[in-house]
Amino acid sequence: MSRVDLAPGAINPPHSHPRASQIGVIIKGKVLVGFVTTANVFYSKVLKAGDMFVIPRGLVHFELNVGKGKALFLPAFNSQMPGIVILPTTLFASTPPIPNDVLTKGFQIDAKSTLETLQTIFVNGFPCKPLSEVKSDDFFFDGLRTEGNTTNVFGSKVTSAFVTDFPGLNTLGILMSRVDLAPGGINPPHSHPRASQTGVIIKGKVLVGFVTTANVFYSKVLKAGDMFVIPRGLVHFELNVGKGKALFLPAFNSQLPGLVVLPTTLFASTPPIPNDVLTKGFLIDAKVISDIRSKLGS
Ligand SMILES: *[C@@H]1O[C@H](CO)[C@@H](O)[C@H](O)[C@H]1NC(C)=O
């Protein structure tokens, strides 16, 4: 995960990431985000705080601050080392320099036609929809603008940008969510079978912890701008330990990471796990089980 700051009018110039698809969310400002496919189709949209975008691996893209003030966005990648190819410096400021002939001929800089060669440099998967049906909105999503309703027994709400609402994510192996926590609220102990997770705190004070397969517990209290990482499949939680509401944005290296919420998995499944399994497995009385079940509304 990264943070990208843009001064008014500034650009994150055309570039690509050879080893990763990218997902991102605008935190502040007004940003034009665009990319060009290998079929040379340009998709773009002006995004505001809470809006998301997705950029398929290896495609040329940019982000331009089109607002009046500063802009900030947070990209996440499904690689710990996505690589970056910044086209202006790659083409015109490499060491040693690319021979002039390559550039004048390649870009027809002294002739009429323009940048036809770039599209063949980059790698992409096959489109999942007929190209004629693909539109810019497939790659942008505003569903994370809205605060989740935390009026429930845990005081937390996870809102995810799934491929069903955000079609451009398909086959890219990335997902981002927002998690709202009421004061004292918890995202209860859970695991994601199919993904490692990274995340950044946007607001509030959050205790984040996980337990390894060697039964070691790692945890820390995090504030706005702080990050965490949870290895795939490990049991973890996030607890709001501040006075106000908290918000964090997790990102996953799967488009469908899966979610096993331990309280509901163990005590509120359908049909229920037999009491004997729980009393013997957790060394507790049946009374404890029925208490938990009734509080979970099961
Ligand atoms: C939030 O959820 C609670 C419990 O389901 C419900 O009573 C309440 O109306 C919801 N609030 C909003 C603003 O939707």
Side-chain angles (χ1 to χ4, degrees), residues 149-152:
N149 184 344
T150 58
T151 307
N152 56 56

Side-chain angles (χ1 to χ4, degrees), residues 167-183:
L169 289 182
N170 199 22
T171 76
L172 300 186
I174 45 179
L175 177 83
M176 224 166 164
S177 310
R178 72 173 284 161
V179 182
D180 291 282
L181 296 168

Side-chain angles (χ1 to χ4, degrees), residues 5 52 62 75 118 123 125 154 177 198 261-262 284 287:
D5 292 280
M52 302 186 69
F62 65 85
L118 277 182
V123 184
F154 295 121
S177 310
T198 184
V261 181
L262 296 183
I284 51 176
K287 167 91 174 64

Side-chain angles (χ1 to χ4, degrees), residues 26-164:
I26 311 297
I27 300 297
K28 193 169 69 184
K30 221 167 123 185
V31 182
L32 174 67
V33 179
F35 69 94
V36 180
T37 70
T38 54
N40 220 19
V41 182
F42 175 49
Y43 296 107
S44 71
K45 190 163 182 179
V46 174
L47 304 180
K48 290 186 291 190
D51 293 352
M52 302 186 69
F53 61 91
V54 60
I55 310 286
R57 178 198 289 214
L59 296 187
V60 173
H61 59 287
F62 65 85
E63 294 93 7
L64 173 66
N65 184 350
V66 293
K68 294 216 167 77
K70 294 177 183 178
L72 168 64
F73 67 95
L74 301 175
F77 303 89
N78 60 354
S79 162
Q80 70 187 47
M81 202 85 124
I84 183 158
V85 177
I86 301 172
L87 297 183
T89 53
T90 295
L91 291 166
F92 300 106
S94 64
T95 312
I98 295 178
N100 270 12
D101 257 13
V102 173
L103 298 172
T104 57
K105 292 182 182 174
F107 287 90
Q108 299 289 297
I109 287 171
D110 292 320
K112 326 171 200 81
S113 90
T114 45
L115 304 168
E116 277 160 353
T117 45
L118 277 182
Q119 61 180 308
T120 60
I121 303 173
F122 302 97
V123 184
N124 188 24
F126 295 103
C128 298
K129 278 190 182 183
L131 193 54
S132 59
E133 289 173 25
V134 176
K135 52 193 194 307
S136 272
D137 272 348
D138 290 344
F139 301 99
F140 304 95
F141 181 63
D142 63 12
L144 296 196
R145 283 186 194 178
T146 317
E147 184 176 329
N149 184 344
T150 58
T151 307
N152 56 56
V153 66
F154 295 121
S156 70
K157 178 67 181 177
V158 180
T159 311
S160 290
F162 286 120
V163 66
T164 37

